[in-house]
Amino acid sequence: MKLKIPALICFFSAFLAGFIFQYPNQATNVTAKAVGIISEQKINQLKQYDVIYLGENHDRAEHHAAELEIITQLDQAQANSKTRLAIGLEMFQRPFQPILDLYLSGEISEAELREQTEYDTRWGFDWEFYAPILRFAQENKIPLIALNTPAEVTQKVAETGLDSLKDGNFRYILPLAEIKLDNQEYRQKMAEVYQAHAQNGQGNSSDQENFYAAQVLWDETMADAIARYYNNHPQSQIVVLVGKAHVMDNYAIPERVNRRIKDKSFSQTSFLLEE
């Protein structure tokens, strides 16, 4: 039985939402059930953090509307400070960072952005879920960060494992020594995901360990992109748009970002968007 990585994006978010817990020290989980309920008090709390993860279900229009509302309010709240907002995007893979930059500078159109980042084949959710956020970023000169692993590399790991990667595969990902597979509780959660999905006859990964490795690679790549941006722009506040599966407890992105940040004052939080 093989598990196909692109088909798993929605599944991860839905299945793993039940496994989200409180992060020790660096992050807390809060929820928003609808647009229009993000209070000024909550924005004032969020703006104290260096990184804010907005945990979404990718196919929920209301989640993306809430993301835009939060980003808009944070941008306004930081208007008179030295902090500069940036937006990290799971939806775009790291090789396409130059294309995002061209869009932000007005050198290419929105249609060209969509085409040149291969959005429809590499992500595929309704473009209009994210387009208002991208337009707001362009209008307000808010940097956009492409976070995700190239799909070809994730797929290769899911099918044949990390050891099958060749030199050319490492251009946009980390050395193997930095891809940490040692969290046994996370491994068990991924085993449950794998078994549940395999029973439905879906996907393109025939090995449970490779499936876990592909998920960790996904997490590590995005964590590396977030940490690199923060380390290079320490005055930034990064709002990360990402599936809920990637901000669960101390397993996925947040712990891996924290591992890469040496600043002891660094803080991050997760804001989980509910249906």
Side-chain angles (χ1 to χ4, degrees):
M1 190 64 61
K2 291 189 173 183
L3 289 174
K4 201 171 192 75
I5 290 298
L8 292 179
I9 297 171
C10 246
F11 185 80
F12 275 138
S13 296
F15 186 89
L16 293 174
F19 295 122
I20 296 171
F21 305 98
Q22 187 86 5
Y23 301 163
N25 302 324
Q26 273 75 39
T28 56
N29 293 327
V30 289
T31 57
K33 293 188 176 179
V35 181
I37 64 166
I38 313 300
S39 67
E40 182 178 353
Q41 180 182 16
K42 180 54 63 180
I43 293 298
N44 286 334
Q45 291 173 358
L46 289 176
K47 76 176 186 179
Q48 306 303 317
Y49 291 95
D50 299 305
V51 176
I52 301 165
Y53 303 97
L54 300 184
E56 64 174 48
N57 287 352
H58 304 310
D59 59 347
R60 296 289 182 177
E62 62 270 26
H63 286 193
H64 306 300
E67 288 167 341
L68 177 59
E69 179 185 346
I70 292 167
I71 289 168
T72 300
Q73 290 194 43
L74 284 172
D75 186 55
Q76 293 171 350
Q78 302 288 15
N80 296 319
S81 73
K82 294 181 179 179
T83 301
R84 189 181 183 198
L85 206 63
I87 303 172
L89 298 161
E90 181 188 4
M91 306 81 221
F92 294 97
Q93 294 167 18
R94 289 177 74 167
F96 301 102
Q97 182 64 55
I99 308 303
L100 286 176
D101 295 340
L102 288 173
Y103 171 73
L104 280 176
S105 66
E107 296 178 61
I108 62 173
S109 67
E110 184 179 313
E112 289 171 319
L113 170 67
R114 182 175 180 177
E115 178 183 3
Q116 293 179 28
T117 58
E118 302 173 18
Y119 176 90
D120 291 308
T121 55
R122 290 179 178 271
W123 191 248
F125 292 96
D126 190 334
W127 176 258
E128 287 301 322
F129 286 165
Y130 300 101
I133 296 170
L134 299 172
R135 293 166 194 154
F136 182 83
Q138 186 190 54
E139 290 167 6
N140 293 278
K141 302 188 183 307
I142 299 172
L144 298 171
I145 312 165
L147 299 180
N148 215 337
T149 315
E152 298 87 347
V153 178
T154 310
Q155 191 69 49
K156 184 178 179 67
V157 171
E159 292 176 351
T160 55
L162 286 168
D163 289 339
S164 70
L165 296 178
K166 306 300 181 185
D167 289 346
N169 299 131
F170 288 93
R171 182 176 179 185
Y172 296 103
I173 67 168
L174 303 159
L176 291 180
E178 294 187 41
I179 301 171
K180 304 298 184 183
L181 302 170
D182 54 353
N183 190 304
Q184 296 305 312
E185 191 168 356
Y186 194 19
R187 186 188 301 272
Q188 179 58 36
K189 301 301 185 189
M190 288 297 100
E192 293 174 26
V193 173
Y194 179 89
Q195 294 299 330
H197 214 56
Q199 288 173 5
N200 294 328
Q202 299 172 323
N204 204 19
S205 177
S206 57
D207 183 275
Q208 183 170 296
E209 184 62 20
N210 291 346
F211 178 84
Y212 171 61
Q215 176 72 4
V216 171
L217 173 63
W218 214 340
D219 296 331
E220 291 279 19
T221 303
M222 290 194 281
D224 179 68
I226 294 163
R228 281 175 182 268
Y229 189 90
Y230 179 81
N231 285 331
N232 290 329
H233 305 87
Q235 294 293 327
S236 292
Q237 178 179 64
I238 308 171
V239 178
V240 179
L241 309 187
V242 67
K244 291 178 180 178
H246 295 291
V247 292
M248 55 186 292
D249 196 39
N250 205 27
Y251 310 140
I253 294 176
E255 183 274 334
R256 298 168 198 275
V257 168
N258 195 55
R259 198 175 79 222
R260 293 174 166 88
I261 303 291
K262 303 306 180 185
D263 182 355
K264 292 183 179 180
S265 69
F266 174 76
S267 62
Q268 52 185 339
T269 191
S270 291
F271 193 105
L272 303 179
L273 300 164
E274 289 189 344
E275 298 177 20

